Amino acid sequence: MLIVEDDPDLLRGLSQALREENYAVDITSDGDDGLFKARSYDYDAIVLDVMLPGMSGFDLLRQLRTAKKTPVLLLTARDALQDRIQGLDEGADDYLVKPFELEELFARLRAIIRRSSGQASSVLTAGDVAVDTAAQTVTFQGELVTLSAREYRLVELLLRNQGALVSRTMIYEHLFDENHDSLSNLVDVYISRLRAKLGSDFITTRRGQGYIVDVAAAH
């Protein structure tokens, strides 16, 4: 998740709240830096303010949309009808006016992430494994499975990309924010833990490429 917000108190509080929701979060208070990060990394979603130093949120969004489809939620104090229309026409996936309730923000983010991966339901399934993205729970053969925050984020990522290869770089960027300096072999550790909890055949390794939850093999 990327947050582009120039209010330091809101930026701090919002990043902490999203991390407590188990997202890996990168932050910036500058529009130019926000565009650089948004173009450089594949975020699940971007929370974007409109009035920013360096480059406005509308300009950032307009330039981002020439290259990437990353879901964007505009979070701004500008509540005029024309602002909301402009934001959505520039390519925003949702628009939320400050002040706001955190639970509503979380729900809107889950919705734009779900829509971006072509999912109509908040429950993702693959064989005996089901992920409820609203409740952030995982079941295996109908039984609730206890997962750590990063284990949950990893299995959600794999199911959102079911049938497609997920590279180690994608996993690392999904689980850890830009300030994390852990070793990349932690990806292997989390994959091993998921196999132990969700079945050894649940995740297939493509040596030198990454991992895949095969649609056919999962059923």
Side-chain angles (χ1 to χ4, degrees):
M1 190 78 64
L2 173 64
I3 306 171
V4 189
E5 168 62 60
D6 69 337
D7 180 326
D9 292 334
L10 180 56
L11 181 60
R12 187 181 312 110
L14 191 51
S15 61
Q16 179 177 343
L18 285 169
R19 286 178 178 126
E20 289 174 355
E21 287 291 300
N22 303 322
Y23 293 101
V25 180
D26 291 346
I27 60 173
T28 182
S29 59
D30 180 84
D32 290 318
D33 188 47
L35 179 61
F36 172 77
K37 290 182 176 179
R39 281 176 164 169
S40 300
Y41 304 105
D42 291 324
Y43 293 103
D44 290 340
I46 299 171
V47 179
L48 178 62
D49 191 9
V50 172
M51 294 174 285
L52 295 165
M55 173 185 294
S56 77
F58 287 156
D59 289 338
L60 188 161
L61 184 57
R62 189 179 306 114
Q63 294 194 39
L64 178 65
R65 283 293 177 255
T66 65
K68 304 190 80 167
K69 298 179 180 178
T70 309
V72 173
L73 183 147
L74 283 172
L75 183 65
T76 174
R78 293 173 61 163
D79 61 353
L81 175 61
Q82 189 54 46
D83 289 325
R84 296 199 296 272
I85 292 172
Q86 181 180 356
L88 295 169
D89 282 346
E90 296 286 6
D93 299 88
D94 203 351
Y95 194 108
L96 184 60
V97 175
K98 302 172 185 173
F100 60 94
E101 296 293 335
L102 274 175
E103 291 303 320
E104 182 180 2
L105 174 68
F106 296 157
R108 287 174 181 264
L109 287 173
R110 288 195 297 270
I112 64 174
I113 293 170
R114 185 171 65 240
R115 290 198 298 268
S116 73
S117 60
Q119 302 290 333
S121 169
S122 62
V123 178
L124 310 172
T125 60
D128 293 328
V129 177
V131 176
D132 186 328
T133 60
Q136 297 195 6
T137 58
V138 176
T139 58
F140 176 58
Q141 296 180 339
E143 299 292 329
L144 194 64
V145 179
T146 300
L147 298 179
S148 70
R150 288 196 174 111
E151 289 168 357
Y152 170 81
R153 284 296 166 203
L154 177 52
V155 71
E156 181 186 348
L157 174 69
L158 291 168
L159 261 65
R160 286 198 186 283
N161 293 276
Q162 190 174 166
L165 184 72
V166 179
S167 70
R168 293 173 60 86
T169 299
M170 287 175 63
I171 294 173
Y172 194 85
E173 291 180 356
H174 188 77
L175 298 184
F176 305 102
D177 63 39
E178 61 186 347
N179 297 317
H180 205 281
D181 59 357
S182 61
L183 300 173
S184 61
N185 65 4
L186 277 179
V187 171
D188 301 312
V189 174
Y190 285 109
I191 290 289
S192 177
R193 289 178 181 173
L194 286 186
R195 283 176 170 147
K197 296 180 179 181
L198 303 177
S200 58
D201 297 332
F202 176 57
I203 302 168
T204 300
T205 300
R206 296 285 178 83
R207 191 168 298 280
Q209 297 179 300
Y211 304 92
I212 186 171
V213 171
D214 191 292
V215 178
H219 289 78

